[in-house]
Amino acid sequence: MLMVVDYNKVHEEIKQTFIAKNRDYGNSFEKSLNKFGLIAGVVRINDKFERLANLCDRQRLADAQVNEPLADTLKDMANYCIMAAAWLENE
């Protein structure tokens, strides 16, 4: 069973990743949403989904060359979803 402590830990990791990447990338996600609309966010979310599916396939095939933990991809996808939702609420 997922514990509240575990949820909060992952949520804090997602938040810190958002802060660091937003600083490094200069708010490029919001800029792309402003320029192209929600579809820009959908494309990035889909890219992460495709990566996740690929990583799952590799894991199923016992490929030891997986370079990114599945959880990291899920966290990135969650951040994109949260940012897109926040953008929509501000529109």
Side-chain angles (χ1 to χ4, degrees), residues 51-85:
R51 178 160 176 70
L52 179 63
N54 186 42
L55 290 173
C56 288
D57 284 345
R58 284 191 199 176
Q59 205 171 54
R60 191 171 31 245
L61 297 172
D63 182 352
Q65 298 300 315
V66 174
N67 294 323
E68 179 178 311
L70 294 173
D72 288 354
T73 299
L74 287 166
K75 290 172 189 175
D76 283 345
M77 191 182 320
N79 255 332
Y80 282 131
C81 290
I82 292 167
M83 290 187 292

Side-chain angles (χ1 to χ4, degrees), residues 24-76:
D24 294 345
Y25 288 93
N27 203 20
S28 65
F29 185 75
E30 184 177 4
K31 289 176 184 175
S32 66
L33 290 172
N34 289 337
K35 185 173 184 177
F36 301 110
L38 184 59
I39 194 65
V42 171
V43 169
R44 293 208 189 160
I45 293 164
N46 185 66
D47 288 343
K48 287 297 175 179
F49 177 80
E50 293 298 329
R51 178 160 176 70
L52 179 63
N54 186 42
L55 290 173
C56 288
D57 284 345
R58 284 191 199 176
Q59 205 171 54
R60 191 171 31 245
L61 297 172
D63 182 352
Q65 298 300 315
V66 174
N67 294 323
E68 179 178 311
L70 294 173
D72 288 354
T73 299
L74 287 166
K75 290 172 189 175
D76 283 345

